[in-house]
């Protein structure tokens, strides 16, 4: 992602530029272009081609696609499981560990439901959903 100081003509609400696959997020003092994902193994570092694609996508759709100053260019891992289903539940290896990971691109949107499921699995009531499909044990974890 690329974070800028807020441009004068920033969108009022977060939006997704579908064709360009660019997410635009604004807040009081900032502005961010993001939403790339690549399967690159464990290669680290920013991919300039991806950052340039964010800039081109924003330029094609927005009147003021970049902020006055770049604050940060950022990348990070997106933990995923082999079956693309999150790992939520007790570890088979350590009795004092509950896992809640591998949400891929859905971590924020699944956070409340994951928190409720983890709380139930930690002994705070019955789970509202069947935890079996998310069990880390399916991979021996």
């Amino acid at each position: 992602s690329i974070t800028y100081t807020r441009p004068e003509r920033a969108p009022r609400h977060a939006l997704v530029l579908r064709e360009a696959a660019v997410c635009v997020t604004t807040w009081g003092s900032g502005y961010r272009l993001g939403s790339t994902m690549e399967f690159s193994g464990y290669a680290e570092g920013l991919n300039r081609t991806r950052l340039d694609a964010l800039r081109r996508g924003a330029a094609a759709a927005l009147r003021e696609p970049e902020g006055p100053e770049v604050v940060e260019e950022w990348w990070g891992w997106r933990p995923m499981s082999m079956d693309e289903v999150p790992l939520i539940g007790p570890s088979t290896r350590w009795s004092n560990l509950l896992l809640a990971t591998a949400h891929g691109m859905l971590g924020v949107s699944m956070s409340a439901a994951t928190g409720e499921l983890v709380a139930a699995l930690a002994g705070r009531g019955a789970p509202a959903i069947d935890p079996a499909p998310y069990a880390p044990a399916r991979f021996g974890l």
Side-chain angles (χ1 to χ4, degrees):
S1 70
I2 308 167
T3 303
Y4 298 95
T5 54
R6 187 182 174 109
E8 192 171 315
R9 294 168 59 174
R12 290 185 203 147
H13 305 282
L15 55 99
V16 177
L17 308 174
R18 289 273 177 218
E19 287 187 25
V22 175
C23 291
V24 181
T25 308
T26 60
W27 60 94
S29 63
Y31 175 78
R32 179 173 295 133
L33 303 176
S35 189
T36 68
M37 187 166 110
E38 65 183 285
F39 298 94
S40 61
Y42 293 103
E44 293 186 17
L46 289 166
N47 182 327
R48 289 281 157 208
T49 301
R50 296 287 197 169
L51 295 177
D52 291 342
L54 291 174
R55 288 185 175 102
R56 280 192 311 276
L62 301 172
R63 291 183 185 187
E64 198 169 345
E66 297 185 41
E69 181 182 328
V70 173
V71 175
E72 177 182 43
E73 295 177 331
W74 184 87
W75 71 277
W77 303 108
R78 290 203 188 267
M80 299 175 71
S81 65
M82 293 187 305
D83 63 2
E84 297 183 17
V85 176
L87 299 164
I88 307 169
S91 167
T92 59
R93 190 168 180 186
W94 292 285
S95 63
N96 63 343
L97 176 64
L98 280 172
L99 298 170
T101 188
H103 291 72
M105 295 180 73
L106 301 174
V108 171
S109 61
M110 295 180 73
S111 62
T114 297
E116 287 184 21
L117 183 55
V118 167
L121 294 171
R124 295 191 176 98
I129 62 171
D130 179 10
Y134 308 100
R138 69 187 193 275
F139 297 118
L141 301 174

